[in-house]
Amino acid sequence: DIQMTQSPSSLSASVGDRVTITCRASQSISSCLNWYQQKPGKAPKLLIYAASSLQSGVPSRFSGSGSGTDYTLTISSLQPEDFATYHCQQSYITPYSFGQGTKLEIK
Amino acid sequence: EVQLVESGGGLVQPGGSLRLSCAASGFTFSSYSMNWVRQAPGRGLEWVSYISSTSSTIYYTDSVKGRFTISRDNAKNSLYLQMNSLRDEDTAMYFCARDKTDDSSTGYYYYMDVWGKGTTVTVSS
């Protein structure tokens, strides 16, 4: 099974900051990497699919990059509504697997 | 509006059974594969099971194989998860999620683009 490791596990930042979250797979996943945002008590929301494709309706301050085993989610200028938990997920092979999540908190 | 609504969760004793349902609306349910994903309290997301649009392909995570059964009824626009022999560690919020495929020049990419709000399963004596 493919293991997904996110870093950091938590992050404090301020409105306007540029933030980067990293996700590493235990083997190459050929850009089959998705990012989701989840707010407390809510369902996950798709942000990025196929490593770098922005889901319709998601603000352009969100971007994704990477290849092979290493991927990043970048938020170019944090907005108040961006404080949430972010999850990466590989869809290269089943069992699909998620990272442990990165909680983004207000500094 | 594209929507998924889960139901059927509740409190059950270890060894018991529950059947979760997911009602789909606002899209052609029969054209999409579907997933169940769960989240234990305070934990990350865990993919549980996948079913293709025609039910011809089904996958499970190892921890539920032999205990959980995913199924669908395209005529009723509904997805199901039959959960038997429940354990304490099955306690979680269970989400259904639509599986979407992006057919690009570099290959096929799969992702979960629509999620329900979830239904809570608590396994406890």
Side-chain angles (χ1 to χ4, degrees):
Chain A
D1 297 359
I2 297 176
Q3 310 302 318
M4 305 300 293
T5 303
Q6 276 182 245
S7 60
S9 296
S10 63
L11 175 61
S12 294
S14 301
V15 172
D17 284 353
R18 179 183 180 89
V19 167
T20 297
I21 298 169
T22 297
C23 185
R24 173 166 288 176
S26 58
Q27 67 181 74
S28 175
I29 55 172
S30 300
S31 297
C32 297
L33 191 284
N34 309 312
W35 290 99
Y36 302 87
Q37 176 194 67
Q38 188 180 28
K39 296 182 178 179
K42 301 294 187 181
K45 172 189 173 183
L46 177 68
L47 299 176
I48 301 285
Y49 63 93
S52 60
S53 296
L54 191 68
Q55 170 69 350
S56 176
V58 174
S60 59
R61 63 181 179 272
F62 291 93
S63 64
S65 64
S67 63
T69 60
D70 296 325
Y71 299 87
T72 60
L73 172 71
T74 299
I75 310 172
S76 60
S77 178
L78 273 173
Q79 299 302 301
E81 60 268 30
D82 300 337
F83 292 94
T85 297
Y86 293 84
H87 307 271
C88 64
Q89 177 240 338
Q90 67 82 15
S91 58
Y92 180 70
I93 193 170
T94 59
Y96 294 156
S97 43
F98 290 86
Q100 80 277 18
T102 294
K103 187 173 183 179
L104 180 53
E105 299 174 305
I106 301 174
K107 183 181 287 185
Chain B
E1 178 191 7
V2 173
Q3 194 171 12
L4 297 170
V5 179
E6 301 92 339
S7 61
L11 174 64
V12 61
Q13 292 187 336
S17 298
L18 276 178
R19 187 194 195 207
L20 305 185
S21 299
C22 171
S25 59
F27 66 99
T28 305
F29 179 72
S30 59
S31 296
Y32 290 87
S33 300
M34 297 293 294
N35 296 277
W36 285 101
V37 176
R38 66 184 178 183
Q39 187 171 34
R43 304 293 296 274
L45 299 168
E46 180 186 23
W47 172 81
V48 174
S49 185
Y50 162 98
I51 186 168
S52 63
S53 59
T54 61
S55 304
S56 59
T57 301
I58 286 174
Y59 300 115
Y60 299 98
T61 192
D62 283 349
S63 62
V64 308
K65 282 180 185 175
R67 301 188 300 122
F68 289 12
T69 302
I70 192 171
S71 63
R72 64 190 296 160
D73 185 336
N74 287 343
K76 294 183 177 180
N77 292 331
S78 292
L79 173 72
Y80 307 102
L81 187 67
Q82 177 67 44
M83 303 188 297
N84 299 329
S85 303
L86 282 161
R87 305 168 179 167
D88 290 352
E89 55 264 34
D90 296 319
T91 294
M93 177 74 78
Y94 284 74
F95 300 98
C96 60
R98 188 175 78 172
D99 202 87
K100 189 83 181 293
T101 303
D102 180 56
D103 179 7
S104 77
S105 59
T106 57
Y108 289 93
Y109 299 95
Y110 304 94
Y111 50 96
M112 291 177 260
D113 70 329
V114 178
W115 294 65
K117 293 183 177 181
T119 187
T120 301
V121 172
T122 302
V123 184
S124 175
S125 54

